Amino acid sequence: MPHAERGMRIGLFGGSFNPPHAGHRLVAEIARRRLGLDRVWWIVTPGNPLKDHGHLRPLAERLAAVRAVAEGPHMAVTAFEAAHRIRYSADTVDLLLLRRPAVRFVWIMGADSLASFHRWQDWRRIAASLPIAVVDRPGASLAALSAPMARFLDRSRVAERDAASLPFRDPPAWVFLHGPRSPASSTSIRTGSALTS
């Protein structure tokens, strides 16, 4: 688990990153800047329980690829979930809040992930445990904003102009962030049909 000082604002950006790409980097950078985060932790997961693992590259390979994409002093790359044998994001959140209670964590996800967030194990517990930042992705805006989580937490949505206050808000609280978007996706990169720059 990366180092964190008391009071730091840290974004948690989890995924299988199979492979990581410019779109991931853009999501992390938009969230970092707009939320005023000290760091973004890229949490490279052993594997997404909702996805087919047939094309999943080995964890060490994905870690190396993420380190190449997530360069810079404000980015940290970790695979602590594998060391702790964690399968679900809700358990990751529980562990982080237990180990780093004085850190202001924010969960970061692309809008494409929000559209299926209601299928995640204990998604309501995640939303009740820490603020969430959703970053727009090409073709995902409408599906994300009409998703079960967005409707369930409609009254907890923070205006985009107040995004910098999100790390200081008690959950549930979430914001939808707009900004530059990249057409890259891990699926299309694996099939050789995407722009990767």
mmCIF file of all heavy atoms in Angstrom, residues 138-159:
data_model
loop_
_atom_site.group_PDB
_atom_site.id
_atom_site.type_symbol
_atom_site.label_atom_id
_atom_site.label_comp_id
_atom_site.label_asym_id
_atom_site.label_seq_id
_atom_site.Cartn_x
_atom_site.Cartn_y
_atom_site.Cartn_z
ATOM 1 N N PRO A 138 -16.237 8.708 -23.560
ATOM 2 C CA PRO A 138 -16.990 8.758 -24.814
ATOM 3 C C PRO A 138 -18.104 7.719 -24.868
ATOM 4 O O PRO A 138 -17.901 6.551 -24.544
ATOM 5 C CB PRO A 138 -15.919 8.447 -25.873
ATOM 6 C CG PRO A 138 -14.641 8.866 -25.245
ATOM 7 C CD PRO A 138 -14.799 8.560 -23.779
ATOM 8 N N GLY A 139 -19.294 8.182 -25.218
ATOM 9 C CA GLY A 139 -20.431 7.286 -25.385
ATOM 10 C C GLY A 139 -21.055 6.778 -24.109
ATOM 11 O O GLY A 139 -21.950 5.930 -24.144
ATOM 12 N N ALA A 140 -20.620 7.269 -22.943
ATOM 13 C CA ALA A 140 -21.116 6.718 -21.681
ATOM 14 C C ALA A 140 -21.953 7.699 -20.871
ATOM 15 O O ALA A 140 -22.548 7.321 -19.875
ATOM 16 C CB ALA A 140 -19.941 6.230 -20.829
ATOM 17 N N SER A 141 -22.012 8.959 -21.270
ATOM 18 C CA SER A 141 -22.669 9.985 -20.450
ATOM 19 C C SER A 141 -24.113 9.665 -20.116
ATOM 20 O O SER A 141 -24.510 9.657 -18.952
ATOM 21 C CB SER A 141 -22.611 11.346 -21.154
ATOM 22 O OG SER A 141 -21.293 11.690 -21.454
ATOM 23 N N LEU A 142 -24.930 9.399 -21.128
ATOM 24 C CA LEU A 142 -26.357 9.189 -20.892
ATOM 25 C C LEU A 142 -26.619 7.935 -20.086
ATOM 26 O O LEU A 142 -27.417 7.943 -19.149
ATOM 27 C CB LEU A 142 -27.118 9.153 -22.221
ATOM 28 C CG LEU A 142 -27.156 10.470 -22.983
ATOM 29 C CD1 LEU A 142 -27.881 10.296 -24.314
ATOM 30 C CD2 LEU A 142 -27.842 11.553 -22.160
ATOM 31 N N ALA A 143 -25.937 6.836 -20.428
ATOM 32 C CA ALA A 143 -26.135 5.586 -19.695
ATOM 33 C C ALA A 143 -25.716 5.745 -18.235
ATOM 34 O O ALA A 143 -26.375 5.235 -17.328
ATOM 35 C CB ALA A 143 -25.342 4.458 -20.354
ATOM 36 N N ALA A 144 -24.625 6.467 -18.003
ATOM 37 C CA ALA A 144 -24.138 6.644 -16.633
ATOM 38 C C ALA A 144 -25.116 7.464 -15.800
ATOM 39 O O ALA A 144 -25.447 7.104 -14.669
ATOM 40 C CB ALA A 144 -22.771 7.313 -16.652
ATOM 41 N N LEU A 145 -25.588 8.568 -16.348
ATOM 42 C CA LEU A 145 -26.451 9.463 -15.568
ATOM 43 C C LEU A 145 -27.856 8.907 -15.361
ATOM 44 O O LEU A 145 -28.598 9.404 -14.512
ATOM 45 C CB LEU A 145 -26.497 10.840 -16.229
ATOM 46 C CG LEU A 145 -25.156 11.593 -16.154
ATOM 47 C CD1 LEU A 145 -25.210 12.874 -16.960
ATOM 48 C CD2 LEU A 145 -24.782 11.878 -14.702
ATOM 49 N N SER A 146 -28.219 7.858 -16.104
ATOM 50 C CA SER A 146 -29.509 7.214 -15.861
ATOM 51 C C SER A 146 -29.331 5.863 -15.177
ATOM 52 O O SER A 146 -30.290 5.104 -15.009
ATOM 53 C CB SER A 146 -30.270 7.039 -17.182
ATOM 54 O OG SER A 146 -29.540 6.206 -18.066
ATOM 55 N N ALA A 147 -28.105 5.544 -14.771
ATOM 56 C CA ALA A 147 -27.812 4.272 -14.123
ATOM 57 C C ALA A 147 -28.454 4.201 -12.735
ATOM 58 O O ALA A 147 -28.728 5.232 -12.111
ATOM 59 C CB ALA A 147 -26.291 4.105 -13.993
ATOM 60 N N PRO A 148 -28.706 2.971 -12.231
ATOM 61 C CA PRO A 148 -29.312 2.822 -10.902
ATOM 62 C C PRO A 148 -28.589 3.586 -9.799
ATOM 63 O O PRO A 148 -29.216 4.185 -8.937
ATOM 64 C CB PRO A 148 -29.268 1.313 -10.666
ATOM 65 C CG PRO A 148 -29.391 0.735 -12.042
ATOM 66 C CD PRO A 148 -28.592 1.686 -12.916
ATOM 67 N N MET A 149 -27.245 3.600 -9.809
ATOM 68 C CA MET A 149 -26.510 4.326 -8.760
ATOM 69 C C MET A 149 -26.782 5.809 -8.848
ATOM 70 O O MET A 149 -26.995 6.471 -7.839
ATOM 71 C CB MET A 149 -25.015 4.049 -8.879
ATOM 72 C CG MET A 149 -24.163 4.734 -7.798
ATOM 73 S SD MET A 149 -23.749 6.459 -8.198
ATOM 74 C CE MET A 149 -22.257 6.674 -7.291
ATOM 75 N N ALA A 150 -26.772 6.367 -10.059
ATOM 76 C CA ALA A 150 -27.008 7.799 -10.232
ATOM 77 C C ALA A 150 -28.411 8.171 -9.753
ATOM 78 O O ALA A 150 -28.601 9.208 -9.118
ATOM 79 C CB ALA A 150 -26.813 8.190 -11.689
ATOM 80 N N ARG A 151 -29.386 7.327 -10.048
ATOM 81 C CA ARG A 151 -30.753 7.604 -9.596
ATOM 82 C C ARG A 151 -30.878 7.434 -8.084
ATOM 83 O O ARG A 151 -31.505 8.238 -7.403
ATOM 84 C CB ARG A 151 -31.743 6.681 -10.320
ATOM 85 C CG ARG A 151 -31.849 6.978 -11.810
ATOM 86 C CD ARG A 151 -33.068 6.341 -12.447
ATOM 87 N NE ARG A 151 -33.261 4.947 -12.092
ATOM 88 C CZ ARG A 151 -32.776 3.917 -12.791
ATOM 89 N NH1 ARG A 151 -32.060 4.122 -13.883
ATOM 90 N NH2 ARG A 151 -33.008 2.680 -12.404
ATOM 91 N N PHE A 152 -30.245 6.373 -7.556
ATOM 92 C CA PHE A 152 -30.308 6.084 -6.120
ATOM 93 C C PHE A 152 -29.696 7.213 -5.295
ATOM 94 O O PHE A 152 -30.187 7.562 -4.220
ATOM 95 C CB PHE A 152 -29.575 4.763 -5.848
ATOM 96 C CG PHE A 152 -29.553 4.341 -4.409
ATOM 97 C CD1 PHE A 152 -30.697 3.875 -3.778
ATOM 98 C CD2 PHE A 152 -28.375 4.404 -3.674
ATOM 99 C CE1 PHE A 152 -30.668 3.476 -2.449
ATOM 100 C CE2 PHE A 152 -28.337 4.010 -2.348
ATOM 101 C CZ PHE A 152 -29.492 3.539 -1.730
ATOM 102 N N LEU A 153 -28.622 7.805 -5.807
ATOM 103 C CA LEU A 153 -27.904 8.851 -5.069
ATOM 104 C C LEU A 153 -28.116 10.238 -5.672
ATOM 105 O O LEU A 153 -27.278 11.119 -5.500
ATOM 106 C CB LEU A 153 -26.411 8.523 -5.011
ATOM 107 C CG LEU A 153 -26.028 7.286 -4.216
ATOM 108 C CD1 LEU A 153 -24.544 7.032 -4.314
ATOM 109 C CD2 LEU A 153 -26.451 7.406 -2.763
ATOM 110 N N ASP A 154 -29.231 10.426 -6.342
ATOM 111 C CA ASP A 154 -29.490 11.703 -7.010
ATOM 112 C C ASP A 154 -29.358 12.893 -6.069
ATOM 113 O O ASP A 154 -28.775 13.915 -6.406
ATOM 114 C CB ASP A 154 -30.883 11.675 -7.646
ATOM 115 C CG ASP A 154 -31.172 12.956 -8.407
ATOM 116 O OD1 ASP A 154 -30.393 13.282 -9.323
ATOM 117 O OD2 ASP A 154 -32.162 13.637 -8.080
ATOM 118 N N ARG A 155 -29.873 12.776 -4.863
ATOM 119 C CA ARG A 155 -29.833 13.893 -3.911
ATOM 120 C C ARG A 155 -28.440 14.109 -3.311
ATOM 121 O O ARG A 155 -28.203 15.128 -2.657
ATOM 122 C CB ARG A 155 -30.837 13.669 -2.793
ATOM 123 C CG ARG A 155 -32.265 13.719 -3.281
ATOM 124 C CD ARG A 155 -33.233 13.578 -2.164
ATOM 125 N NE ARG A 155 -34.601 13.610 -2.676
ATOM 126 C CZ ARG A 155 -35.657 13.871 -1.946
ATOM 127 N NH1 ARG A 155 -35.527 14.118 -0.656
ATOM 128 N NH2 ARG A 155 -36.855 13.868 -2.474
ATOM 129 N N SER A 156 -27.546 13.165 -3.528
ATOM 130 C CA SER A 156 -26.185 13.278 -2.993
ATOM 131 C C SER A 156 -25.193 13.783 -4.037
ATOM 132 O O SER A 156 -24.007 13.875 -3.758
ATOM 133 C CB SER A 156 -25.706 11.914 -2.484
ATOM 134 O OG SER A 156 -26.573 11.423 -1.490
ATOM 135 N N ARG A 157 -25.709 14.113 -5.227
ATOM 136 C CA ARG A 157 -24.819 14.584 -6.290
ATOM 137 C C ARG A 157 -24.366 16.011 -6.007
ATOM 138 O O ARG A 157 -25.170 16.883 -5.689
ATOM 139 C CB ARG A 157 -25.535 14.513 -7.640
ATOM 140 C CG ARG A 157 -24.634 14.874 -8.804
ATOM 141 C CD ARG A 157 -25.333 14.661 -10.129
ATOM 142 N NE ARG A 157 -24.519 15.151 -11.234
ATOM 143 C CZ ARG A 157 -24.938 15.220 -12.479
ATOM 144 N NH1 ARG A 157 -26.160 14.806 -12.793
ATOM 145 N NH2 ARG A 157 -24.141 15.694 -13.418
ATOM 146 N N VAL A 158 -23.068 16.230 -6.140
ATOM 147 C CA VAL A 158 -22.449 17.530 -5.918
ATOM 148 C C VAL A 158 -22.347 18.239 -7.268
ATOM 149 O O VAL A 158 -21.992 17.626 -8.275
ATOM 150 C CB VAL A 158 -21.031 17.350 -5.310
ATOM 151 C CG1 VAL A 158 -20.309 18.676 -5.179
ATOM 152 C CG2 VAL A 158 -21.132 16.631 -3.960
ATOM 153 N N ALA A 159 -22.649 19.510 -7.295
ATOM 154 C CA ALA A 159 -22.529 20.280 -8.535
ATOM 155 C C ALA A 159 -21.079 20.258 -9.007
ATOM 156 O O ALA A 159 -20.146 20.346 -8.197
ATOM 157 C CB ALA A 159 -22.986 21.719 -8.310
#
